[in-house]
Amino acid sequence: MSVSVKNVTKYYGSQKALNNVSFEIGTGEVVGFLGPNGAGKSTMMKILTSYLTQSEGEVKVCEVDVLMNSIASRKKIGYLPEHNPLYLDMYVKEFLSFIADIHKVKNKRERVEEMIELTGLTPEKSKKIRQLSKGFRQRVGIAAALIHDPEVLILDEPTTGLDPNQLLDIRALIKSIGKTKTVMLSTHIMQEVEAICDRAIIIKQGEIVADGEIQKLQSTNTEIIIEVEFEHPIPLSELHAIEGVRKVTEISDTTFKVYSAQMVDVRPKIAQLAIDQQNLVISMQKKEQKMEDVFQSLTKE
């Protein structure tokens, strides 16, 4: 396994930030590490990258123990922190050359050019970093994290503050990187998880509450949600009265979300109600559960 975390606990004084956390990530996986603020995401990532040490447990990156041999484990990791640390007065090529020197990269010039091309920095490579947009600064950070060709890439909030076009570019870049490397990313944007990740690990108050493939997590809902629009207004009580309906949410006086148990399809009964009331169903569709629904159900107090 590229990343192996076993029974990791972390204390800050008397406060427990992580409690007996365990998971494994294999090569070629893109995994979202999710949780509300203060759940322990950044703490776990800092332990993986040897910025912090765990209080208990074992962490290995590519079979190297991060506590016993942190220098060797860091060589196998590329890390982009939430606050991208860049030297703003350096030129893009100059900065990447500087990072390559730190890692003692062989064929430095060729590697820098390769990273510039991979991350789409070619039009900006002769500019100072302070002249770049937020999206291109993130690309510089990713290029710096990849310059030494690590086996594991850890990204903490890599898409924060990007506009929609920049989001699409960074998503595509991360997915392409994930074909050959292990990628672990933290984000609050659930659409990013659905677009980029194969799997999600959800943490709450320092403990893992879910770990699985995105599609499987989305299919664990115990409810069916039907969104229906009628031609004319219909009393909310009429929908509540349908056998099998658990809950009804009113979107407008003609549009509703109707919730029923997973094994109960109430669409025929909704259609019959419309016929009985000489109303017309404009549209009716079964709504797929989103990662946002999964996240809220698992982490909301």
Side-chain angles (χ1 to χ4, degrees):
M1 286 292 170
S2 294
V3 174
S4 174
V5 175
K6 294 181 180 179
N7 309 118
V8 167
T9 297
K10 174 64 180 178
Y11 291 94
Y12 292 112
S14 60
Q15 182 182 357
K16 187 182 287 187
L18 295 172
N19 182 24
N20 199 35
V21 171
S22 298
F23 60 87
E24 292 184 336
I25 304 175
T27 304
E29 281 193 273
V30 181
V31 176
F33 193 56
L34 316 174
N37 289 332
K41 302 186 304 297
S42 292
T43 296
M44 188 69 252
M45 288 186 160
K46 288 175 181 176
I47 290 172
L48 282 168
T49 53
S50 298
Y51 282 79
L52 290 175
T53 57
Q54 67 268 33
S55 304
E56 300 171 9
E58 179 187 78
V59 179
K60 289 184 177 181
V61 176
C62 302
E63 305 302 325
V64 178
D65 191 304
V66 301
L67 194 61
M68 303 301 293
N69 200 343
S70 66
I71 298 298
S73 68
R74 290 184 199 199
K75 290 179 180 179
K76 298 180 180 295
I77 294 174
Y79 180 41
L80 178 65
E82 180 178 359
H83 302 291
N84 191 357
L86 302 171
Y87 290 107
L88 300 183
D89 286 321
M90 286 181 126
Y91 293 93
V92 172
K93 287 185 71 174
E94 178 187 14
F95 174 74
L96 293 178
S97 294
F98 169 69
I99 299 298
D101 284 336
I102 291 174
H103 288 288
K104 299 179 181 178
V105 173
K106 297 178 180 179
N107 303 317
K108 178 181 71 173
R109 183 176 298 177
E110 291 83 356
R111 185 63 180 166
V112 167
E113 289 295 336
E114 183 183 349
M115 288 301 97
I116 286 172
E117 183 176 351
L118 175 68
T119 55
L121 283 166
T122 302
E124 312 292 324
K125 65 180 181 181
S126 298
K127 288 184 179 180
K128 283 190 174 182
I129 293 173
R130 71 168 57 255
Q131 296 174 294
L132 303 181
S133 68
K134 177 71 183 290
F136 278 112
R137 291 188 189 189
Q138 288 296 84
R139 290 171 189 248
V140 173
I142 293 173
L146 289 169
I147 196 77
H148 58 299
D149 195 23
E151 296 172 55
V152 177
L153 184 63
I154 296 178
L155 308 171
D156 197 354
E157 301 287 350
T159 59
T160 300
L162 303 185
D163 67 35
N165 291 329
Q166 293 168 338
L167 278 174
L168 291 174
D169 291 341
I170 296 297
R171 279 181 191 173
L173 175 60
I174 294 171
K175 282 186 73 71
S176 67
I177 292 167
K179 292 176 182 177
T180 57
K181 299 184 183 299
T182 300
V183 180
M184 180 179 181
L185 67 92
S186 169
T187 180
H188 286 101
I189 305 170
M190 294 300 107
Q191 294 91 332
E192 294 302 299
V193 180
E194 292 172 336
I196 298 172
C197 300
D198 311 306
R199 172 182 158 206
I201 299 171
I202 302 177
I203 188 171
K204 175 186 176 183
Q205 296 178 347
E207 298 182 356
I208 291 177
V209 293
D211 181 357
E213 295 176 8
I214 300 296
Q215 291 182 340
K216 288 184 179 179
L217 289 175
Q218 289 174 318
S219 66
T220 56
N221 193 16
T222 59
E223 292 180 316
I224 292 177
I225 305 171
I226 305 298
E227 187 170 305
V228 57
E229 181 184 0
F230 299 95
E231 182 180 21
H232 304 296
I234 190 168
L236 197 66
S237 59
E238 297 285 348
L239 291 167
H240 271 296
I242 293 175
E243 184 181 356
V245 169
R246 288 182 170 180
K247 182 176 71 171
V248 181
T249 302
E250 186 176 14
I251 300 173
S252 70
D253 60 355
T254 59
T255 307
F256 305 87
K257 281 187 177 179
V258 181
Y259 297 78
S260 64
Q262 183 69 38
M263 302 304 292
V264 180
D265 190 349
V266 295
R267 284 176 291 184
K269 295 178 182 178
I270 293 172
Q272 187 61 52
L273 173 66
I275 293 169
D276 293 344
Q277 298 203 353
Q278 296 185 337
N279 207 334
L280 179 66
V281 174
I282 301 298
S283 68
M284 182 161 54
Q285 58 180 326
K286 183 178 177 181
K287 304 294 287 185
E288 295 296 330
Q289 183 174 221
K290 302 294 185 183
M291 274 304 298
E292 186 173 347
D293 302 317
V294 177
F295 182 82
Q296 288 182 347
S297 68
L298 290 170
T299 62
K300 200 170 183 179
E301 295 297 336

